[in-house]
Amino acid sequence: MLMRNIAIISCLLLITYISAGQQPGGNGNRPGNGRAQMTGAFYGKIVDAKSSKPIEYASVQLIQNRMDTATRKRKEVVVAGMLTDTHGDFRLENIPVFGQFKLQVTIIGFAPYEQSVSFDFKPGGGSDMNTMMAALDKDLGNIKINVSEKTLENVTVTATNPGLRLGIDRKVFNVDKNLVSAGGTAVDIMRNVPSISVDIDGNVTMRNNTPQLFVDGRPTNLTLEQIPADAIESVEIITNPSAKFDASGGTAGILNVVLKKNKRVGYSGSTRFNVDTRGRIGLGGDINMRMDKVNFFLNANMNQRKSISTGTTDRTTLIGNPNTFMHQDDRSVSKGRFLFLRGGFDFFLDNRNTLSIAGNLGQGRFTPFAESDFYIDSLYPVVSSSYNERIANTQNQFNHNGAMISFKHLFPRQGEEWTFDVNFNSSKNKNLNAISTDYYKVPGNTYLNSFRQQQDGNGTNQNIVLQTDYTRPFNEKSKLETGLRAQFRKVDNKNNFYVVGSNGSLTLIPEQSVNYNSTDNVFAAYATYSNQVKNFGYQLGLRVESSDYEGNLPDKGQSFEISFPVSLFPSIFLTQKLGKEQDLQLNYSRKINRPNFWQLFPFTDYSDSLNISRGNPNLSPEFTNSLELSYQKTFKNRDNFIASVYYKNTTDLITRYQDRETNQVSGKEVLVNTFINASSSYVTGLELVSRNKMTKWWDMTTNLNLFTSKIKLNIPNQPEQDPFASWFFKLNNTFKLPKNFSLQLSGEYQSKTILPPGGSGGGGGGGRGGMFGGGGMFGQASAAQGYVKANYYVDAGLRYEFLKNRQASVSVNINDIFRTRRQNIFSESAFFTQEVFRRRDPQVARVNFSWRFGKFDPNLFKRKNNRSNGSDGSENMNMGQ
């Protein structure tokens, strides 16, 4: 009894001490009593009543009925309130201990919830101090709310995510309502994403460097033109990834493509069809289903394409005897189609364990046909001229398949979880390139002779990634994240080069043929610690990686091995909340970019005698130190503005380079396109992104990037490009018109810019497009030796929605309305000067039809994941690359 009284007295003394430190005011139902009010806290979790999944951004308010001193009438007053976090958690503090309260929970799509709450604090009745202290910090448990009955009808959920969500560390662009990319590929989507620039061949750059391409948070073998636009849910841009992410591809960042997956209870899906002005069709469909403990999704797309490219090249070659001037006219037509199939399911073993399995298949067949006319003048005092005609017939095909198995376990501690997943990707390609060149003497166009050649190539690429991640929160504001990752890649490539005789016989040229295979392995571990102290937050991270690479030339009995030493990659993120929806962040990270297969590949490609190329097996990895300062402001009308100042310094930058050597077959001096390690480089700039709701019917997203860069070669007699300021502007307008019409206008202007180095992107698919007759035959010079001239374009799309709940829609989009999208590159070295002009697929229009269907039955389907609406996309990244 004595011990119980001592405990009670001690507790009361402690409460008095704590309450004395509180700010006065808010004395509950005892105004003017002259003493500090004892306060406590309510906390809990908001979950879906059917699935027990946490609900993010639910509004939680605590209301108390009080006397209004002015009117002498009682009225309800909001005592505290907040929005739930990503785990559905809320905590309401500084609540008066005495009195009755009403807890109200509201969120779109769910029925309103109310509950009477109070503190069970009885100073004389507690048996020990812990019990009494617990009464002042009351757990309301899991509060289950039900889906609103109004949403349980056929296809009545019409709320949409905003087109762009800006975060301090990433930008998330939702593309399901993007009109100008409907029926196209991921390349068409990227043309409308802030911070991203796309050339006419589908090559993507971010801040003038090639980003690393992820699909659903993992590296991929796919290229952007192999991913249908209709299969994409959103695109995430991470300009300066932390230590949790793969250290590769450091000069640009990460471009993560999030594919569509289930979003609602019940079943839902869509079918679609499109046709363009070149007679090419596309069709597809998807279905999502949640039933009992199984969640299933399936997506299929088939698209035909016809790509037409034209261009000219003017080149003065300053090697050989004599020097020559060449004018080249080109026209390329590529016809083909590709298929894409993706499916999988999540199996909810129980409330704490989930097993997920997904797979995808891709297939493409293409037949590019290219014609080129060459006019060549020797630079003798007396000019001699010649004329060549070249025809290239190509057959390309690829097959891709991938699979993912993932397991997730949730611990009793809120926010503590462990995941393990295995990702497998495999691709095969096969191509046959037949080139015929006829030579004529000018003037008179007298036929001299012909030369025919054939190149047969095939290859495989297999990639396996094992990864495990663990998150351990210490409290609501601090947590530790750790992970391990292993990647195993195997590449096999064969290229045989033949001379075709007059009777069609093939003669193998061993000097120009190659059988090459390689393996590379990357092992990594990371740890990050994050904490929040009032309005200041920080995250400290460290990643450790080691790798090795082995290449073999079996036919030549040659091999080489490269072991990259263990490297440390720290990251620091500092965030300060400035109040009134403002944030300031400073971050730093160190990254690596290892040379990829094609950059190391020692095969010399002579298929185009004017564009000879070869990899460099002696390349070293490049290291980048990135520093970025960002400011974000969210306005009352939910408009967003973000400004970023960035600086990246790279050592041993992998860049394109042209040098001269002797052709092994002809014995003549030729120029060879290859890769080298430049001494260093830097890029610095200012980027502004804003999303504004101009009126109720007009949304506008703008993006401005001012930057400059410099590459130092340190090669004798090699001129270097002087740095100059460049800028990039992108504008996207969406108009809601009467009668269920909507219009989208988007445009981009790119000023004169130093060529991207072409070495970034790590070992994945990078940001490359180029599947439908890209620019291989026209070539590109080194970034250290040239620049791209200014370029701009405008795209448009119009959509009409009809049927009940706008289940169906018809849209029309057209690209490059004014026929201004082009590529104009000037380059020079000690051996040549060259200007290349190209245009590809201008003013192509496409008509699209889409029909959505679905049913939401709460008695049959019992799982819902609300995190897909309104989230920042971080769950798709899994935060541990």
Side-chain angles (χ1 to χ4, degrees):
M1 187 67 178
L2 177 61
M3 294 302 296
R4 176 180 298 182
N5 292 334
I6 292 175
I8 294 173
I9 294 172
S10 300
C11 179
L12 291 176
L13 289 173
L14 180 60
I15 294 172
T16 303
Y17 176 78
I18 295 174
S19 61
Q22 303 290 331
Q23 293 293 329
N27 291 324
N29 294 324
R30 301 183 183 183
N33 58 12
R35 59 186 176 87
Q37 177 74 29
M38 288 187 294
T39 62
F42 292 114
Y43 67 95
K45 178 193 289 288
I46 307 301
V47 299
D48 188 326
K50 297 299 181 182
S51 68
S52 296
K53 287 283 187 178
I55 299 177
E56 185 181 9
Y57 298 135
S59 173
V60 180
Q61 290 186 327
L62 192 67
I63 298 174
Q64 189 176 40
N65 193 294
R66 295 180 177 178
M67 179 67 71
D68 188 340
T69 57
T71 62
R72 298 294 179 179
K73 296 181 179 179
R74 302 191 70 84
K75 68 175 184 179
E76 291 188 337
V77 177
V78 176
V79 179
M82 66 173 294
L83 298 177
T84 57
D85 62 15
T86 56
H87 304 293
D89 293 329
F90 69 92
R91 184 177 180 85
L92 307 175
E93 298 182 332
N94 297 324
I95 309 301
V97 170
F98 302 101
Q100 296 292 322
F101 303 88
K102 181 168 61 177
L103 187 76
Q104 288 186 347
V105 181
T106 57
I107 185 172
I108 296 175
F110 288 82
Y113 176 88
E114 290 188 357
Q115 174 186 345
S116 296
V117 296
S118 62
F119 292 102
D120 300 324
F121 179 70
K122 298 178 181 180
S127 58
D128 56 68
M129 183 179 296
N130 290 335
T131 301
M132 288 182 288
M133 292 302 297
L136 298 179
D137 200 32
K138 187 170 182 178
D139 184 359
L140 300 180
N142 290 352
I143 298 176
K144 300 181 178 181
I145 62 176
N146 294 298
V147 177
S148 173
E149 294 298 325
K150 294 182 179 181
T151 66
L152 300 179
E153 302 173 2
N154 288 355
V155 196
T156 57
V157 180
T158 58
T160 60
N161 286 324
L164 173 67
R165 299 198 303 276
L166 299 175
I168 201 70
D169 66 335
R170 73 183 65 194
K171 306 177 189 73
V172 183
F173 187 80
N174 294 302
V175 300
D176 54 342
K177 296 296 183 181
N178 194 50
L179 301 183
V180 297
S181 62
T185 69
V187 172
D188 300 299
I189 285 178
M190 299 308 162
R191 290 194 172 105
N192 293 278
V193 175
S195 304
I196 296 296
S197 180
V198 185
D199 69 13
I200 62 173
D201 292 320
N203 300 301
V204 169
T205 56
M206 181 163 63
R207 294 179 175 175
N208 211 40
N209 282 283
T210 305
Q212 188 177 25
L213 178 62
F214 280 16
V215 172
D216 287 335
R218 294 291 184 268
T220 181
N221 293 340
L222 291 169
T223 64
L224 290 172
E225 280 200 330
Q226 294 171 355
I227 306 175
D230 296 322
I232 299 175
E233 175 69 25
S234 62
V235 174
E236 298 179 341
I237 301 169
I238 305 176
T239 55
N240 196 14
S242 71
K244 292 181 288 186
F245 295 91
D246 190 356
S248 298
T251 53
I254 293 174
L255 180 63
N256 183 44
V257 176
V258 180
L259 301 179
K260 290 180 178 178
K261 196 177 177 180
N262 51 320
K263 298 171 66 176
R264 303 183 181 95
V265 177
Y267 70 86
S268 62
S270 67
T271 59
R272 48 194 170 269
F273 173 81
N274 65 76
V275 60
D276 65 25
T277 49
R278 292 177 175 170
R280 306 294 101 175
I281 66 170
L283 51 92
D286 55 71
I287 186 169
N288 307 306
M289 184 179 300
R290 289 178 174 237
M291 180 171 56
D292 295 328
K293 291 187 176 183
V294 177
N295 167 46
F296 172 78
F297 64 94
L298 181 66
N299 177 283
N301 289 272
M302 188 283 292
N303 288 280
Q304 295 179 335
R305 285 291 181 272
K306 181 180 180 180
S307 179
I308 300 176
S309 175
T310 58
T312 62
T313 301
D314 290 308
R315 174 169 173 166
T316 300
T317 304
L318 305 176
I319 64 173
N321 187 18
N323 298 336
T324 59
F325 170 78
M326 180 199 70
H327 173 79
Q328 176 179 341
D329 295 321
D330 302 282
R331 187 175 189 272
S332 173
V333 179
S334 179
K335 298 179 181 180
R337 52 90 178 164
F338 69 89
L339 305 172
F340 185 82
L341 178 68
R342 177 175 179 266
F345 68 87
D346 302 309
F347 184 65
F348 303 99
L349 304 174
D350 53 41
N351 286 336
R352 297 188 185 276
N353 298 282
T354 303
L355 177 67
S356 300
I357 299 177
N360 60 78
L361 299 172
Q363 183 186 88
R365 302 290 185 271
F366 313 99
T367 56
F369 176 82
E371 296 178 296
S372 300
D373 296 329
F374 302 86
Y375 302 88
I376 303 175
D377 294 332
S378 66
L379 300 183
Y380 280 130
V382 178
V383 176
S384 63
S385 302
S386 63
Y387 167 66
N388 306 336
E389 288 183 346
R390 184 181 65 183
I391 296 176
N393 267 309
T394 307
Q395 298 178 17
N396 296 329
Q397 56 181 292
F398 79 90
N399 292 279
H400 171 86
N401 58 80
M404 185 274 291
I405 301 177
S406 177
F407 176 77
K408 183 175 184 178
H409 173 72
L410 302 177
F411 292 87
R413 180 191 297 269
Q414 179 60 43
E416 184 177 6
E417 64 179 44
W418 171 69
T419 62
F420 177 78
D421 58 77
V422 180
N423 288 265
F424 171 79
N425 285 279
S426 175
S427 60
K428 297 181 180 180
N429 64 81
K430 184 178 181 180
N431 61 79
L432 187 151
N433 189 16
I435 302 174
S436 175
T437 306
D438 295 329
Y439 297 90
Y440 298 86
K441 185 178 180 179
V442 177
N445 289 341
T446 304
Y447 173 77
L448 298 176
N449 56 62
S450 297
F451 180 73
R452 286 167 175 75
Q453 55 191 331
Q454 179 174 308
Q455 182 179 358
D456 294 343
N458 62 81
T460 61
N461 187 334
Q462 294 184 347
N463 187 32
I464 299 177
V465 177
L466 308 177
Q467 183 163 318
T468 181
D469 302 279
Y470 172 71
T471 302
R472 171 66 158 82
F474 298 105
N475 51 50
E476 292 182 346
K477 297 183 178 180
S478 67
K479 64 179 179 179
L480 175 70
E481 297 176 86
T482 61
L484 300 173
R485 182 176 184 269
Q487 175 180 299
F488 309 93
R489 185 189 302 273
K490 181 179 180 181
V491 178
D492 192 353
N493 192 280
K494 296 180 181 179
N495 280 275
N496 291 323
F497 194 86
Y498 302 90
V499 173
V500 182
S502 58
N503 59 355
S505 61
L506 299 179
T507 303
L508 179 68
I509 309 298
E511 295 83 358
Q512 298 181 7
S513 303
V514 68
N515 177 8
Y516 181 73
N517 60 70
S518 67
T519 59
D520 66 272
N521 308 311
V522 181
F523 304 95
Y526 78 90
T528 65
Y529 174 75
S530 56
N531 191 23
Q532 183 81 25
V533 181
K534 295 184 178 180
N535 290 329
F536 177 73
Y538 62 90
Q539 182 195 84
L540 307 177
L542 181 65
R543 189 178 187 92
V544 182
E545 286 195 359
S546 69
S547 61
D548 57 78
Y549 182 94
E550 180 181 354
N552 297 284
L553 295 165
D555 296 343
K556 303 182 185 303
Q558 300 176 8
S559 64
F560 59 92
E561 297 182 6
I562 305 175
S563 293
F564 302 113
V566 175
S567 301
L568 302 179
F569 303 97
S571 68
I572 302 174
F573 282 68
L574 307 176
T575 304
Q576 177 68 46
K577 293 184 179 296
L578 304 178
K580 296 183 179 180
E581 302 293 335
Q582 299 180 80
D583 296 277
L584 187 67
Q585 184 183 83
L586 177 67
N587 59 66
Y588 162 81
S589 69
R590 182 175 188 256
K591 297 294 181 181
I592 187 175
N593 182 48
R594 302 175 184 88
N596 63 33
F597 172 80
W598 295 110
Q599 293 162 354
L600 293 169
F601 192 30
F603 168 63
T604 303
D605 184 0
Y606 290 96
S607 60
D608 181 354
S609 60
L610 298 174
N611 189 25
I612 301 171
S613 62
R614 181 179 59 241
N616 179 4
N618 296 316
L619 288 174
S620 300
E622 61 186 35
F623 290 90
T624 300
N625 291 282
S626 300
L627 189 67
E628 186 168 344
L629 177 65
S630 299
Y631 167 80
Q632 179 181 258
K633 168 70 174 178
T634 302
F635 298 90
K636 291 182 179 180
N637 61 353
R638 310 314 296 173
D639 284 357
N640 296 97
F641 171 76
I642 188 169
S644 301
V645 178
Y646 58 90
Y647 175 80
K648 296 177 183 285
N649 182 272
T650 302
T651 58
D652 292 326
L653 177 77
I654 300 173
T655 183
R656 298 184 185 94
Y657 179 71
Q658 285 190 330
D659 201 358
R660 64 177 178 179
E661 65 178 47
T662 301
N663 189 317
Q664 298 178 8
V665 178
S666 65
K668 296 180 180 180
E669 277 195 315
V670 293
L671 289 177
V672 177
N673 300 291
T674 186
F675 295 91
I676 63 169
N677 285 112
S679 175
S680 63
S681 74
Y682 73 84
V683 58
T684 184
L686 168 68
E687 184 176 47
L688 307 176
V689 181
S690 178
R691 180 180 181 271
N692 302 95
K693 191 170 185 62
M694 309 301 291
T695 66
K696 292 183 179 179
W697 47 269
W698 179 16
D699 290 333
M700 182 171 65
T701 301
T702 54
N703 174 212
L704 174 65
N705 187 11
L706 305 171
F707 62 94
T708 185
S709 61
K710 172 71 174 178
I711 298 176
K712 296 181 181 180
L713 284 176
N714 288 345
I715 297 178
N717 301 320
Q718 172 62 57
E720 294 184 355
Q721 178 69 56
D722 293 329
F724 54 84
S726 301
W727 60 283
F728 163 90
F729 180 74
K730 183 174 289 189
L731 178 66
N732 195 320
N733 295 278
T734 302
F735 304 94
K736 296 181 181 179
L737 306 179
K739 305 295 183 181
N740 294 341
F741 281 93
S742 56
L743 172 68
Q744 182 176 337
L745 287 173
S746 62
E748 176 184 315
Y749 179 86
Q750 174 80 61
S751 72
K752 177 183 175 183
T753 306
I754 291 179
L755 271 172
S760 301
R768 295 189 303 271
M771 190 170 63
F772 298 102
M777 60 183 293
F778 302 96
Q780 279 190 346
S782 165
Q785 299 164 299
Y787 55 85
V788 182
K789 294 186 178 181
N791 175 53
Y792 71 95
Y793 65 84
V794 177
D795 298 336
L798 178 68
R799 178 172 57 208
Y800 170 66
E801 297 174 298
F802 57 99
L803 297 184
K804 182 180 179 181
N805 301 312
R806 300 185 178 184
Q807 290 176 244
S809 66
V810 174
S811 64
V812 179
N813 55 50
I814 181 171
N815 73 305
D816 194 14
I817 297 175
F818 303 110
R819 196 179 171 84
T820 56
R821 181 186 285 140
R822 59 191 183 272
Q823 184 182 68
N824 196 350
I825 300 174
F826 175 82
S827 54
E828 64 178 341
S829 74
F831 312 120
F832 74 96
T833 60
Q834 176 176 284
E835 183 167 358
V836 178
F837 178 89
R838 293 187 58 224
R839 177 177 280 119
R840 181 182 174 194
D841 297 332
Q843 299 175 325
V844 176
R846 184 179 294 115
V847 179
N848 309 273
F849 170 78
S850 175
W851 175 62
R852 297 177 295 112
F853 60 89
K855 184 176 182 180
F856 306 92
D857 186 350
N859 297 317
L860 176 63
F861 303 102
K862 301 181 179 180
R863 290 275 174 179
K864 183 178 177 73
N865 183 357
N866 292 285
R867 294 182 66 185
S868 61
N869 292 322
S871 70
D872 64 356
S874 60
E875 67 273 16
N876 293 309
M877 295 298 296
N878 205 23
M879 300 308 291
Q881 309 309 321

